[in-house]
Amino acid sequence: MMALPLHVFSRSAMLRGSGLAAAAFLLLGAPAGASTLITGAMVYDGSGAPARQESVRVENDRIVAIGKLRPHKGETVIEAKGLALAPGFIDSHSHHDRGDYADRAMPQLLAEGVTTIVVGQDGESSGAFADISKQFTTRPAAVNVAAYTGHGYLRSQVMGQNYKRVATVSEIQAMQSLLDLDMKAGSLGLSTGLEYDPGIYSNHDEVVALAQTAADDGGRYISHMRSEDTAFDAALDELLDIGAKTGIPVQISHLKLGIVDRWGDAKAVLAKLDAARARGIKVTADVYPYEYWQSTLTVLFPKRDFTDLSAARFALTHLTTPEGMRLGVYAPAPSLVGHTIAEISVQRHEEPAATYLWLIQTAEAWRSAHPGIEPVEAVIGTAMAPEDVADFIAWPYSNLCSDGMIVSRHPRGAGAFAKMLRVYVREQHRLTLPEAIRKMTSLAAENVGLKGRGLIRPGYKADLVLFDPDQIADRATVEAPGALAVGVSDVMVNGVLVYRKAQTTGNYPGEFLKREGQ
């Protein structure tokens, strides 16, 4: 093999002129079978330990050595003095598969160092695990993908359109059989979206039975609980009871207090979770670093009565505000996208609650007239207190997630991980840099059951991100939700360079991952 040139850059040289773009020359794509030595970086290994200046050697798709290493003959050497080298970030709750990876390069993710996404969330699955795994393997993306099996998917397969009721024993057994097939194919476990159709119509026994199937196969349970607002305590009790009865690890999806009346209660919630862990319940959580969510207009109506003016008024008073509800998708009238319920109500000369109901009723009618076309509507709702979000993020057992998607009005799809480092490390000092990285790497891997990723250790897959901890920052906003983060110079996935000079490389080495033990 012809020897590759040695590239040496100092940090001061890299930050001159074009800034971090120049730093992207650090990681050079090496041919399959080649060896790369990264030297001079401050290595944050993902464990939460302080950084150490040492070298990391990558061969093929794995990390093979760490320490004071000398270059091998013909080896590509990367001098990264002054930059941070960390395991690639893991997004444990995402919807980035929507659109079937239309842009396989996933630039919004790579620009903030994300190398693995976990899908199948909120009870949603796009198909049987074996099928979606095969589809991705046939046409991979730049990042790795792992998946849960969605409870809503199982319900739709077994119950069809007749889902607005409790499942029968035979239907639960049929769902268990489908789940068992997915588990044996490598699914991480069971996900539920108990605030959404069709999961909202299930009872506790149904969910426990399915969680037991996942537990028997060595899987996990992750849940968008039945309520994140008025019935939060009962919803949390249900999740903890599932963990207690089945022994399965239970993860709260995007932990939040989405009700004005409960703002400031985060510490009490965390005390309850700590007490549950002390009793042996393996409860964890993921959190995204924003005070606003994105979901359906209907999510704040647990009784699904879209003619109830008092329910609409309650939602716009206690759960959010008319100014805090901004349309992200609206198929019946795309011109309304980006406008708030408050603004639309002024146009319609009516109170915001009436406008809220009109928007839902119009969307439901449009959906009936255009079957199979989704999404029909989505809304961004401001509903959380910043102090609660910070407390939830700082909990030792919570990892970061985005709950985002590539094409969305919500900036979390392109900014969550960079915002974590900008806000909670540099600005608020709620977390040290090593701890923040742990929450985005090894803890995320542990909480979802991924093996061999999330740490810089010999034998682990070479998912790596090189970035400037003083410069990394999110740029995505509601007005510009796809704006790329800055501060990440280079990203490797399975030993292959996928991000260079702040540009995607056109390499698609992502793998479809199976849970630990498969």
Side-chain angles (χ1 to χ4, degrees):
M1 181 187 301
M2 182 180 293
L4 296 176
L6 180 69
H7 294 265
V8 180
F9 296 86
S10 70
R11 187 180 185 192
S12 59
M14 287 186 294
L15 296 181
R16 287 198 299 265
S18 58
L20 282 167
F25 283 107
L26 286 174
L27 285 179
L28 302 181
S35 175
T36 301
L37 184 68
I38 305 170
T39 185
M42 296 303 297
V43 177
Y44 295 82
D45 66 6
S47 70
R52 301 185 303 273
Q53 189 169 36
E54 49 190 8
S55 299
V56 176
R57 174 169 283 122
V58 172
E59 291 182 1
N60 299 317
D61 64 346
R62 293 184 184 273
I63 298 163
V64 296
I66 305 166
K68 296 188 181 300
L69 308 173
R70 294 190 176 187
H72 292 161
K73 183 178 180 180
E75 184 172 49
T76 300
V77 177
I78 299 160
E79 171 53 56
K81 185 177 181 180
L83 295 181
L85 183 69
F89 304 148
I90 298 172
D91 190 347
S92 68
H93 184 119
S94 90
H95 301 278
H96 292 301
D97 57 329
R98 292 187 182 180
D100 195 25
Y101 312 100
D103 184 354
R104 293 190 291 155
M106 314 294 270
Q108 292 90 343
L109 304 185
L110 300 184
E112 53 176 353
V114 173
T115 58
T116 298
I117 61 174
V118 182
V119 300
Q121 304 289 358
D122 301 327
E124 300 175 353
S125 293
S126 58
F129 185 90
D131 292 339
I132 59 175
S133 174
K134 182 179 179 180
Q135 290 167 5
F136 182 86
T137 302
T138 300
R139 185 177 175 273
V143 301
N144 304 306
V145 179
Y148 285 90
T149 297
H151 173 222
Y153 164 76
L154 297 175
R155 272 192 141 239
S156 66
Q157 291 297 106
V158 172
M159 302 175 70
Q161 292 301 308
N162 185 24
Y163 63 80
K164 294 184 178 181
R165 58 179 175 81
V166 174
T168 65
V169 172
S170 61
E171 287 170 335
I172 293 173
Q173 290 172 343
M175 286 187 261
Q176 288 177 300
S177 295
L178 291 175
L179 177 58
D180 183 59
L181 289 174
D182 266 17
M183 296 301 300
K184 288 179 168 52
S187 170
L188 297 176
L190 176 70
S191 86
T192 58
L194 300 179
E195 207 170 18
Y196 300 128
D197 293 2
I200 194 171
Y201 297 99
S202 65
N203 64 12
H204 185 56
D205 290 342
E206 175 184 328
V207 182
V208 169
L210 290 167
Q212 187 63 65
T213 298
D216 292 344
D217 284 321
R220 293 165 180 266
Y221 176 78
I222 189 169
S223 181
H224 177 130
M225 302 188 302
R226 288 192 193 272
S227 176
E228 297 176 323
D229 40 68
T230 56
F232 177 88
D233 293 316
L236 181 56
D237 287 342
E238 178 179 31
L239 178 132
L240 296 176
D241 186 63
I242 290 168
K245 285 180 176 175
T246 66
I248 197 169
V250 291
Q251 173 120 336
I252 304 167
S253 290
H254 39 65
L255 176 59
K256 65 172 72 76
L257 283 169
I259 178 169
V260 175
D261 308 55
R262 295 289 300 272
W263 284 4
D265 281 359
K267 288 182 173 60
V269 172
L270 295 176
K272 184 173 183 176
L273 295 180
D274 286 333
R277 289 185 62 87
R279 298 196 306 272
I281 299 172
K282 291 170 280 190
V283 60
T284 56
D286 54 45
V287 188
Y288 56 76
Y290 296 87
E291 293 82 54
Y292 39 98
W293 44 260
Q294 178 166 300
S295 188
T296 64
L297 284 163
T298 64
V299 73
L300 301 182
F301 290 77
K303 295 182 179 180
R304 296 298 189 261
D305 182 355
F306 307 130
T307 65
D308 189 342
L309 190 60
S310 63
R313 288 170 176 159
F314 180 89
L316 294 180
T317 303
H318 296 274
L319 309 184
T320 183
T321 65
E323 297 77 15
M325 290 281 273
R326 185 182 302 273
L327 289 179
V329 176
Y330 200 68
S335 62
L336 295 180
V337 171
H339 292 276
T340 66
I341 288 179
E343 293 168 341
I344 299 168
S345 70
V346 170
Q347 296 173 14
R348 290 176 55 80
H349 306 290
E350 62 188 5
E351 68 165 299
T355 296
Y356 192 4
L357 294 177
W358 174 80
L359 288 167
I360 294 175
Q361 293 164 7
T362 302
E364 292 298 302
W366 195 94
R367 178 180 280 110
S368 297
H370 302 81
I373 299 178
E374 294 290 345
V376 173
E377 53 87 358
V379 66
I380 298 171
T382 301
M384 291 91 81
E387 296 79 8
D388 288 337
V389 175
D391 284 343
F392 287 144
I393 283 176
W395 189 47
Y397 306 102
S398 68
N399 66 267
L400 191 74
C401 76
S402 75
D403 192 20
M405 62 188 79
I406 293 295
V407 181
S408 167
R409 293 285 304 189
H410 200 302
R412 63 191 178 186
F417 288 79
K419 183 176 181 180
M420 171 79 152
L421 298 176
R422 175 180 66 84
V423 173
Y424 300 104
V425 175
R426 290 207 309 270
E427 296 177 1
Q428 295 186 8
H429 307 290
R430 289 298 302 264
L431 299 169
T432 65
L433 182 56
E435 178 62 10
I437 290 173
R438 184 183 80 90
K439 285 177 170 288
M440 299 189 294
T441 57
S442 66
L443 184 61
E446 179 183 343
N447 284 355
V448 300
L450 291 177
K451 185 179 181 181
R453 298 179 195 269
L455 290 169
I456 297 180
R457 297 276 171 82
Y460 274 61
K461 287 298 185 79
D463 295 343
L464 299 168
V465 54
L466 191 65
F467 68 97
D468 186 334
D470 297 327
Q471 299 294 325
I472 189 168
D474 55 308
R475 290 290 183 263
T477 64
V478 174
E479 293 73 26
L484 300 185
V486 296
V488 168
S489 59
D490 299 272
V491 180
M492 267 188 173
V493 173
N494 298 313
V496 176
L497 180 67
V498 292
Y499 198 66
R500 177 178 178 229
K501 195 190 284 190
Q503 298 289 328
T504 56
T505 65
N507 294 323
Y508 307 115
E511 298 177 355
F512 203 94
L513 310 181
K514 298 181 180 181
R515 76 178 181 283
E516 184 175 356
Q518 291 296 299

